[in-house]
């Protein structure tokens, strides 16, 4: 079964992904994130047809403790956050969680 990419966030954030061909999106306007973001994230995490979830890093602040913990520990689907707060270490951890190995570790040992 092939899985698809889903994007969650404000309409401004999701538009670019939709234009690039991402079909599954959950639009949550900035002024409604406190009330609606938990439900949108839970719906996508529960969808067996989704393999990768993309969110803006800043949106994690709006999630309840339980949903945020689910996002941070989810393996399938893997949740990738992008944006101002995501540094190289965060992306490295997300890749390691998604595929089970640290690809960058071998590069560092070679130096």
């Amino acid at each position: 079964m092939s899985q698809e990419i889903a994007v969650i966030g404000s309409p401004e954030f999701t538009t670019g992904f939709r234009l690039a061909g991402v079909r599954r999106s959950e639009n949550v306007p900035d002024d409604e994130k406190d009330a609606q973001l938990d439900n949108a994230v839970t719906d996508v995490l529960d969808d067996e047809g989704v393999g990768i979830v993309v969110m803006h890093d800043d949106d994690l602040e709006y999630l309840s403790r339980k949903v945020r913990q689910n996002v941070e520990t989810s393996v399938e689907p893997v949740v990738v956050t992008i944006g101002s707060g995501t540094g190289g270490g965060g992306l490295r951890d997300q890749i390691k969680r998604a595929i089970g190995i640290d690809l960058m570790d071998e590069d560092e040992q070679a130096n």
Side-chain angles (χ1 to χ4, degrees):
M1 177 172 114
S2 69
Q3 294 180 312
E4 64 183 347
I5 298 172
V7 61
I8 305 170
S10 66
E12 295 83 13
F13 180 74
T14 62
T15 298
F17 290 94
R18 289 194 337 257
L19 290 172
V22 174
R23 293 180 294 202
R24 176 73 195 269
S25 66
E26 294 286 335
N27 291 320
V28 182
D30 289 334
D31 59 344
E32 297 177 12
K33 284 186 180 175
D34 284 328
Q36 295 182 7
L37 194 58
D38 274 359
N39 289 335
V41 170
T42 301
D43 288 346
V44 172
L45 290 179
D46 291 342
D47 186 343
E48 293 181 8
V50 174
I52 299 173
V53 179
V54 180
M55 293 179 62
H56 194 283
D57 191 51
D58 293 340
D59 287 347
L60 294 178
E61 297 174 22
Y62 294 95
L63 297 175
S64 66
R65 176 182 285 172
K66 181 180 178 185
V67 175
R68 183 175 179 148
Q69 183 177 9
N70 290 342
V71 164
E72 292 174 345
T73 59
S74 179
V75 174
E76 189 175 320
V78 65
V79 179
V80 178
T81 59
I82 59 174
S84 59
T86 304
L91 182 58
R92 178 180 183 172
D93 291 339
Q94 291 173 19
I95 293 169
K96 184 177 177 182
R97 184 171 29 125
I99 63 173
I101 59 172
D102 189 351
L103 295 175
M104 296 179 191
D105 188 39
E106 294 177 21
D107 292 339
E108 289 179 1
Q109 291 177 0
N111 291 332

